Structure formats: C-alpha cells, structure tokens
Amino acid sequence: MSNPNIQNDFSYYRRTLSRMRMTNGGPNYHIVVQDELANRMSLFYAHSTPMTKSIIDSTQNTVRGHVGVTADSVTDCLAILAAICYNAVSKGRAQGPHMVEYCLRVLVVCIIIYDHTSPVGVFIKGSKLNVRASVRLIQTHGGPRVNSLLNSVRYATVHLNDESTPKALKTLLA
C-alpha cells in the first residue's frame, strides 16, 4: 500500500515493450509476458492492496453465489478470527514480534473484509467485531508498522465515513 514500485516497474516494462515493437516493426524477440496477461496483471496491481481486494471479491462472490453462505455467517467467522488474534496479542500468547505482527495483520484484514461483506459495515455500535479495542491494540503493539496498519483500516474500508460510525471511533482513526 505504501510502496508503488511494482506498478511503476511493470508500467515501465510495458512502455519499453511497446517502444521495442514500434522500432523493430513486430515481435521478433522473446516476450516474457504476453499482452493479455500483462493487462490483467496491471489491473491487479492497480489496487492499493491487490491481495486484499482479491480476497474481498472472492468473499463477496461466495456470499452471492452460494445458498448456504450468508453475509452474517461470514462476518461471524471474521469476528471470531479477529477475536482470536486480538486475544493472542493482548494476553501475550503470540510468541515473538513476528507472530504479533502477523496477528495484527490478520486482525486488520478481518476488519477490512468484514466492512466490505457486511451491508452496514464494521464500524456500527452493534458490530460483532470490536474495532475500537482493535485499533487501540494496534496502536500499542504495532511497533514500526502501526501507521501502515492503521492506514489500511482508514483507506481500505468502505463505511468509516458513514454517519452511523461513532464520532469517537472516527477520532481514534483520524
């Protein structure tokens, strides 16, 4: 999210390939990435968090396409997973700094996917996921990654700026 180098490098590759085609009059050299795949890759990397976007799309397609899977059951699972990660970090059960960082990342992704999956979002008062406590945990245990984790919550969620979001939570994430 904070490093656009992949997209920039890939754009440079595509421009260079285009110039080579125009100069040489056609593809008489070995192309590593074909045009169709290059177009799909470019669209994938255009998102600020491409893997999270893919997971969100897959989750939403699953909710829409399967009869037994509802948004409520998916948000229940996400809330449980977030609670496990929250407790692992807050109670000191996550062994080592790498595990703490991993749990915080999973917690952030659960918040983001929950917000995209639930029609009312994750920031409402009756949410199954305690966002306020999660943000405070990220602020205290996030270390050098605290800004990128909080920026992910700020900018990758849909309902943060809704009127139903409590002002205290907006202030906490401001």
Side-chain angles (χ1 to χ4, degrees), residues 71-83 110 114 128:
D72 200 41
S73 62
V74 171
T75 55
D76 284 345
C77 290
L78 290 169
I80 290 168
L81 183 59
C110 285
Y114 188 113
K128 300 169 206 160

Side-chain angles (χ1 to χ4, degrees), residues 45-132:
Y45 287 121
H47 297 285
S48 59
T49 53
M51 282 307 297
T52 305
K53 176 70 172 139
S54 294
I55 293 170
I56 289 167
D57 290 345
S58 296
T59 304
Q60 290 174 339
N61 288 338
T62 301
V63 169
R64 282 187 218 118
H66 292 81
V67 177
V69 180
T70 63
D72 200 41
S73 62
V74 171
T75 55
D76 284 345
C77 290
L78 290 169
I80 290 168
L81 183 59
I84 291 168
C85 292
Y86 178 87
N87 285 326
V89 174
S90 67
K91 295 184 179 181
R93 294 183 182 146
Q95 301 295 318
H98 295 295
M99 193 61 181
V100 170
E101 183 179 334
Y102 176 75
C103 287
L104 292 177
R105 285 181 183 205
V106 171
L107 181 62
V108 166
V109 170
C110 285
I111 291 170
I112 293 168
I113 297 172
Y114 188 113
D115 192 57
H116 282 267
T117 305
S118 173
V120 292
V122 71
F123 299 106
I124 61 168
K125 284 190 178 190
S127 175
K128 300 169 206 160
L129 202 153
N130 190 344
V131 179
R132 181 176 293 138

Side-chain angles (χ1 to χ4, degrees), residues 16-22 24 26-32:
T16 304
L17 226 111
S18 178
R19 280 189 217 121
M20 289 173 62
R21 282 192 189 129
M22 290 171 54
N24 295 337
N28 56 358
Y29 47 86
H30 178 66
I31 299 175
V32 178

